[in-house]
Amino acid sequence: TILLDRSQQLFSGLRDVPQFGQQWQPYFQRTFEVYTKLWKFQQVHRAVLEAIKTERFTFKRYDIGEIASKIGQLYYHYYLRT
């Protein structure tokens, strides 16, 4: 959940990054790295994650789609800035 929280924090922080200049590139790089780690983690541990059903944590199919959607949005915004 730490990785998920960090990814959401970085993604929401992209709104505050200036669109022009070089300041946005390191921030995008960190965000890409966190989402890549999160994607790889869910691929390796998907069976375990789907089996865990507690009050605090459940991992559903739409969670995978949400991660993929954020990665797609990152690539799109990167494309717009370059």
Side-chain angles (χ1 to χ4, degrees), residues 34-61:
V34 170
Y35 270 96
T36 301
K37 287 178 186 177
L38 183 61
W39 184 257
K40 288 180 182 179
F41 181 83
Q42 68 82 22
Q43 282 183 317
V44 171
H45 304 288
R46 186 177 298 176
V48 174
L49 291 170
E50 288 177 346
I52 297 172
K53 302 216 184 326
T54 65
E55 291 178 20
R56 277 187 49 222
F57 180 80
T58 56
F59 189 78
K60 305 262 190 231
R61 193 159 192 76

Side-chain angles (χ1 to χ4, degrees), residues 11 14 19 24 28 32 70 72-82:
F11 191 84
L14 287 174
Q19 291 204 0
W24 61 270
F28 260 74
F32 278 127
K70 298 284 186 188
Q73 290 175 48
L74 284 171
Y75 277 110
Y76 177 70
H77 287 289
Y78 187 84
Y79 168 78
L80 290 177
R81 290 175 186 242
T82 56

Side-chain angles (χ1 to χ4, degrees), residues 17 21-30 78 82:
V17 177
Q22 299 297 318
Q23 299 170 352
W24 61 270
Q25 288 179 330
Y27 198 86
F28 260 74
Q29 183 65 33
R30 282 195 309 265
Y78 187 84
T82 56

